[in-house]
Amino acid sequence: MSGFYGAPSVLGGVRIERSDYVPCRVADWRVVFKEPEDLQVGPEIPVNAVWKLTQTNLN
C-alpha cells in the first residue's frame, strides 16, 4: 500500500509511519523499498521471526 514512510530505526528494524496510522517499528525482513519482480512470491520468513518491534522511540 502506498503512502507510508519507512526509514531505518536507530533501535533496529524499520520505523514505518503514515498520518492515519500509529507509528511502529518492524523487522527488516518485513519491508521492501521497491516492487518485487514476482508479486505472487512472499518474503522468506525467518524461523521464530519477530513481526512487530514494540518500542518506537528512545524516550
Side-chain angles (χ1 to χ4, degrees), residues 11-59:
L11 299 171
V14 177
R15 180 178 169 97
I16 53 177
E17 300 177 1
R18 188 167 132 167
S19 62
D20 55 345
Y21 282 82
V22 175
C24 69
R25 193 168 53 96
V26 298
D28 294 327
W29 66 267
R30 291 194 57 196
V31 179
V32 295
F33 289 97
K34 63 178 184 158
E35 187 171 298
E37 291 180 21
D38 186 351
L39 296 176
Q40 301 301 316
V41 177
E44 289 189 27
I45 301 172
V47 176
N48 299 321
V50 174
W51 287 76
K52 183 176 179 183
L53 308 172
T54 55
Q55 186 179 4
T56 58
N57 59 38
L58 294 173
N59 295 332

